[in-house]
């Protein structure tokens, strides 16, 4: 897997699909600068948010917006149609700005466990509360993702598709920390083997292509994600502790790529690019890893999506990722 030295996580500010695609493809032009991606624009409203967008991809399962959130329904309605229309709009914009492009191209979708935590059943409880519903949801997601990836390949035939599964709720699912509808109890923890197997099944839709799993929660389950088929793991570098050293060292030595979130996702001052990646260099020295592996093992990203940033800051943050990655490559030690 050669994802390039830098990329974004997924979401961008604003509501203009063409402007977002222009920014992303203009910043990440290919293997030398970074990996372009299909931008998400949640500011447009329900259906453009990460849950609604992925719910719109489901096959033979549909979701609608209720006051409490997204709920599974019997038939496609206005909310499903809107989610699908916005996805087509984003794909049209991406296709326009990737004419003749060859190289890695990332698309994102919510993973099965975060989706099961966020989508409600008819009784108002999360799908996570019902093992059968979780299986059905994962199967529907896999079918939908397969069709989505095929569509992207048709639109950008020179692209090497990289699938990113967003799993911000995975740690809470594994620990039994997802709250029930009442808010007074939590759902039972999902068995780790079940969680791993479901992730592996959904990741399998990439048909051998690389899969990235993104989570911004502390205590990233690196070993579980690697066993589930993740070629790369995307995380907020700032929340790592030395307790994570061993699993990170094993991941790197096993060939897993690290998508290190080192640039803040909301407006604020940016340090110089070399300073932004100082922590990555320090980690490498602490682990005793070969400095020559650094540039090929680490892809620099923002800490999370950029939906909460201003458009100007989002552009600067993505450019900063490219500059910081160049600093790592030029001076790994």
């Amino acid at each position: 897997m050669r994802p390039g030295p830098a990329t974004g996580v997924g979401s961008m500010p604003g509501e203009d699909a063409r402007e977002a695609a222009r920014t992303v493809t203009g910043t990440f032009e290919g293997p030398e600068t970074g990996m372009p991606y299909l931008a998400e624009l949640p500011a447009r409203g329900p259906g453009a948010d990460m849950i609604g967008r992925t719910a719109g991809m489901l096959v033979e399962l549909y979701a609608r917006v209720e006051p409490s959130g997204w709920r599974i329904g019997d038939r496609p309605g206005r909310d499903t149609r809107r989610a699908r229309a916005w996805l087509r709009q984003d794909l049209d914009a991406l296709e326009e700005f990737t004419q003749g492009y060859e190289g890695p191209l990332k698309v994102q979708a919510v993973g099965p466990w975060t989706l099961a935590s966020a989508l409600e059943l008819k009784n108002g409880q999360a799908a996570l509360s019902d093992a059968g519903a979780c299986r059905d949801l994962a199967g529907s997601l896999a079918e939908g993702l397969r069709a989505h990836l095929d569509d992207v390949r048709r639109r950008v035939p020179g692209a090497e598709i990289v699938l990113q599964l967003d799993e911000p709720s995975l740690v809470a699912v594994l620990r039994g920390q997802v709250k029930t509808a009442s808010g007074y109890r939590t759902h039972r923890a999902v068995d780790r083997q079940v969680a791993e197997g479901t992730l592996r099944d959904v990741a399998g839709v990439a048909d051998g292509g690389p899969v990235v799993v993104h989570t911004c929660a502390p205590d990233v389950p690196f070993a579980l994600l690697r066993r589930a088929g993740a070629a790369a793991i995307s995380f907020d570098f700032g929340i790592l502790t030395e307790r994570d050293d061993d699993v990170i060292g094993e991941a790197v030595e096993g060939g897993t790529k690290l998508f290190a979130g080192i640039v803040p996702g909301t407006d604020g001052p940016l340090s110089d690019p070399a300073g932004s990646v100082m922590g990555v260099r320090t980690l490498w020295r602490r682990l005793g890893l070969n400095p020559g592996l650094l540039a090929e093992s680490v892809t620099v990203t923002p800490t999370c999506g950029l939906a909460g940033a201003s458009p100007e800051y989002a552009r600067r943050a993505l450019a900063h990722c490219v500059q910081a990655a160049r600093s790592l490559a030029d001076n790994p030690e």
Side-chain angles (χ1 to χ4, degrees):
M1 175 186 179
R2 297 181 61 81
T7 191
V9 173
S11 65
M12 292 287 286
E15 302 179 26
D16 188 333
R18 292 186 74 254
E19 180 59 30
R22 180 187 292 112
T23 296
V24 168
T25 57
T27 305
F28 305 118
E29 299 175 336
E32 297 302 315
T33 55
M35 177 167 57
Y37 57 95
L38 177 63
E40 302 164 352
L41 300 172
R44 291 179 296 197
D49 61 299
M50 60 187 293
I51 299 301
R53 183 184 186 91
T54 301
M57 298 180 190
L58 298 176
V59 173
E60 296 183 0
L61 283 179
Y62 311 101
R64 64 179 186 273
V65 179
E66 298 285 345
S68 55
W70 285 90
R71 181 171 295 182
I72 296 173
D74 296 323
R75 58 184 65 86
R78 177 184 59 188
D79 298 321
T80 297
R81 290 192 294 271
R82 183 169 52 204
R84 291 176 176 175
W86 273 330
L87 178 58
R88 285 194 300 272
Q89 186 182 104
D90 294 337
L91 285 166
D92 288 345
L94 180 70
E95 183 178 2
E96 177 184 350
F97 289 100
T98 52
Q99 293 297 308
Y101 174 78
E102 295 183 356
L105 174 68
K106 182 164 68 72
V107 298
Q108 305 84 218
V110 174
W113 294 111
T114 295
L115 198 62
S117 302
L119 285 184
E120 299 174 354
L121 302 174
K122 294 178 183 178
N123 63 7
Q125 291 293 351
L128 186 64
S129 64
D130 184 316
C134 288
R135 286 192 295 272
D136 292 345
L137 188 58
S140 175
L141 174 62
E143 285 190 59
L145 282 176
R146 190 173 284 111
H148 177 52
L149 297 181
D150 286 345
D151 188 17
V152 177
R153 291 187 186 102
R154 284 193 298 270
R155 290 169 177 267
V156 193
E160 303 159 15
I161 304 299
V162 176
L163 171 63
Q164 176 178 304
L165 296 175
D166 292 321
E167 282 284 14
S169 299
L170 178 60
V171 172
V173 167
L174 295 172
R175 293 181 172 177
Q177 295 173 337
V178 178
K179 290 186 176 182
T180 60
S182 69
Y184 295 116
R185 296 185 301 111
T186 56
H187 293 288
R188 183 181 307 170
V190 171
D191 180 85
R192 294 178 77 88
Q193 287 188 327
V194 172
E196 178 186 321
T198 300
L199 275 168
R200 186 183 301 111
D201 290 345
V202 174
V205 305
D207 291 330
V211 175
V212 183
V213 179
H214 169 74
T215 178
C216 43
D219 299 321
V220 178
F222 285 94
L224 183 152
L225 296 177
R226 292 177 61 214
R227 291 194 302 269
I233 299 171
S234 171
F235 56 95
D236 179 349
F237 188 84
I239 61 177
L240 289 182
T241 69
E242 291 192 16
R243 292 179 316 193
D244 299 304
D245 281 6
D246 288 345
V247 290
I248 291 176
E250 290 171 7
V252 172
E253 290 176 342
T256 304
K257 308 297 183 185
L258 305 180
F259 281 39
I262 55 108
V263 178
T266 53
D267 290 44
L270 294 171
S271 68
D272 69 284
S276 294
V277 289
M278 185 62 69
V280 180
R281 291 191 183 95
T282 300
L283 171 67
W284 229 250
R285 287 195 296 269
R286 196 166 69 232
L287 296 178
L289 293 169
N290 180 355
L293 287 174
L294 191 50
E296 66 181 67
S297 299
V298 174
T299 294
V300 176
T301 75
T303 55
C304 207
L306 293 167
S310 66
E312 171 58 28
Y313 176 82
R315 286 190 289 270
R316 288 195 294 116
L318 295 182
H320 191 89
C321 288
V322 174
Q323 294 160 1
R326 189 172 295 131
S327 172
L328 271 185
D330 292 344
N331 183 20
E333 300 186 75

